Amino acid sequence: MLQLSNYPRMRTLASRSNSYELCRQVTAKYAKTFYLGTLLMPEAKRRAIWAIYAWCRRTDELVDGPQSSTTTNETLDGWEKQLECLFAGDPLDDIDVALVDTLQQFPMDIEPFRDMIAGQRMDLYRSRYETFEELNLYCYRVAGTVGLMSTAILGVDTSNHTAPWNRDKDVLIPTEEAIALGIANQLTNILRDVGEDARRGRIYIPLEELALFNYTEDDLFKGVVDERWRELMRFQIQRARKFFTLAEKGIRRLCADSRWPVWTALMLYQQILDAIERNQYDVFRQRAFVSGPRKLLCLPIAGLRSKVL
């Protein structure tokens, strides 16, 4: 279980190298597909992404981890205060050390971090979403924000935009595409984890879309896989793929050394949707995953795309 720090700090904290190693271990353990993509990055960017992921994972565990039963709004208030300390350059525990160093190397806005905490607050009091518009806000907060955090590390290539009539570099930042990738990943997680979430009493597929396909909450909790469910899942997968397609358009605007790992991570996540289809949309009894050989096959294709697209 990932531990939160206690106030005040009473001991010597980990070195930067040891802190980054802790973040690497967290990423490798909890995000195997994502971790593979990070290994293709230059060392500084790779370590910074691990630091971001470790913070996001710890934030998520406040409402989804073993300690979630004791998490309250006050708990999240405390976590937000700890976040403010990090942006002020004051790490409070061993894992914090890496994120403070990352923020110094790759300056970024605190707002995406605050928004992610706001997403966890939604999980405190919501276990259903009536419409996709409601779900989309949740997906932005818990995952689209990761795209914004990551873009600050991945960097944007401005080498082809130096003409005097194109001096506004802000328009070159693929913000919409970065958010789209985070949302696409979250929608994929939701579809993969339908059964797991149902066992916790949660439904993330919009209720009005369940009704559209004449599929009930009771059907979902019973794990009914029939043509209604398959049609509903096809609809959900199609939406997720649209977000992936939007995200792809922004990769060419990233720094050259970031394109291959981002293409790899995107394609591997897309393949989770393929796995759901191969399993005949039974996400209740079979966990969709990407096999080792499929992951390896993805690498050269992603490398090619990073050069020609």
Side-chain angles (χ1 to χ4, degrees):
M1 181 177 70
L2 299 175
Q3 297 293 325
L4 303 182
S5 64
N6 296 315
Y7 297 94
R9 188 173 70 223
M10 300 298 293
R11 62 183 179 82
T12 302
L13 298 182
S15 66
R16 282 183 297 176
S17 60
N18 287 342
S19 180
Y20 277 116
E21 172 59 18
L22 290 173
C23 295
R24 185 199 69 79
Q25 292 173 10
V26 170
T27 310
K29 179 177 180 179
Y30 294 104
K32 294 179 176 60
T33 297
F34 176 74
Y35 178 70
L36 177 61
T38 68
L39 296 179
L40 303 174
M41 296 178 181
E43 183 178 3
K45 292 185 177 183
R46 176 194 318 158
R47 299 201 317 167
I49 291 292
W50 292 340
I52 293 293
Y53 177 83
W55 183 86
C56 293
R57 177 72 193 186
R58 298 170 80 199
T59 303
D60 180 72
E61 284 216 338
L62 289 172
V63 296
D64 279 338
Q67 68 216 64
S68 60
S69 62
T70 61
T71 296
T72 64
N73 265 314
E74 288 69 29
T75 307
L76 295 177
D77 289 342
W79 188 239
E80 192 160 354
K81 288 178 181 178
Q82 183 165 340
L83 172 68
E84 292 166 358
C85 290
L86 301 185
F87 272 79
D90 183 20
L92 299 177
D93 64 23
D94 290 342
I95 292 181
D96 281 352
V97 172
L99 184 53
V100 168
D101 186 63
T102 290
L103 293 172
Q104 292 170 350
Q105 293 186 64
F106 303 94
M108 60 189 77
D109 195 333
I110 195 174
E111 287 310 312
F113 295 80
R114 292 191 194 277
D115 287 345
M116 175 169 280
I117 295 173
Q120 307 310 318
R121 292 186 194 277
M122 294 173 75
D123 266 335
L124 284 182
Y125 63 87
R126 297 195 69 163
S127 60
R128 307 285 191 280
Y129 292 86
E130 186 65 33
T131 67
F132 178 69
E133 287 70 24
E134 295 176 359
L135 179 66
N136 193 43
L137 173 61
Y138 172 77
C139 289
Y140 160 72
R141 286 178 170 173
V142 301
T145 51
V146 181
L148 296 179
M149 299 171 194
S150 300
T151 299
I153 296 167
L154 299 172
V156 177
D157 182 7
T158 59
S159 61
N160 294 323
H161 303 274
T162 57
W165 56 82
N166 195 7
R167 293 295 190 189
D168 185 1
K169 299 301 188 292
D170 288 343
V171 302
L172 305 175
I173 299 174
T175 300
E176 182 181 3
E177 294 87 348
I179 292 172
L181 181 54
I183 291 175
N185 289 344
Q186 184 63 22
L187 292 175
T188 300
N189 288 339
I190 286 170
L191 298 180
R192 180 194 61 195
D193 298 338
V194 167
E196 178 182 333
D197 289 330
R199 287 189 287 275
R200 295 185 299 168
R202 293 183 179 179
I203 299 176
Y204 287 101
I205 295 176
L207 298 184
E208 71 173 17
E209 294 175 5
L210 291 179
L212 181 64
F213 290 90
N214 196 31
Y215 193 87
T216 68
E217 291 187 33
D218 189 54
D219 290 328
L220 190 147
F221 287 129
K222 290 179 179 177
V224 175
V225 177
D226 56 15
E227 192 55 29
R228 295 171 302 155
W229 175 252
R230 286 187 284 270
E231 286 296 321
L232 172 60
M233 287 293 283
R234 291 185 190 107
F235 178 81
Q236 302 296 323
I237 288 174
Q238 182 183 38
R239 173 191 285 142
R241 284 181 171 144
K242 287 180 179 178
F243 277 96
F244 278 121
T245 298
L246 173 57
E248 289 174 2
K249 297 176 182 178
I251 299 177
R252 69 174 69 94
R253 287 150 62 188
L254 297 175
C255 290
D257 61 9
S258 296
R259 294 172 198 156
W260 186 18
V262 174
W263 266 114
T264 299
L266 183 150
M267 292 174 62
L268 289 174
Y269 244 84
Q270 284 180 318
Q271 288 190 28
I272 295 175
L273 298 176
D274 298 338
I276 292 173
E277 292 173 330
R278 286 195 301 272
N279 291 341
Q280 299 299 306
Y281 309 100
D282 187 353
V283 289
F284 301 102
R285 300 163 191 85
Q286 302 179 71
R287 182 172 177 82
F289 70 96
V290 182
S291 67
R294 290 182 186 275
K295 289 180 180 179
L296 292 177
L297 182 62
C298 178
L299 293 175
I301 299 173
L304 180 62
R305 288 186 176 185
S306 71
K307 291 179 171 59
V308 303
L309 295 180

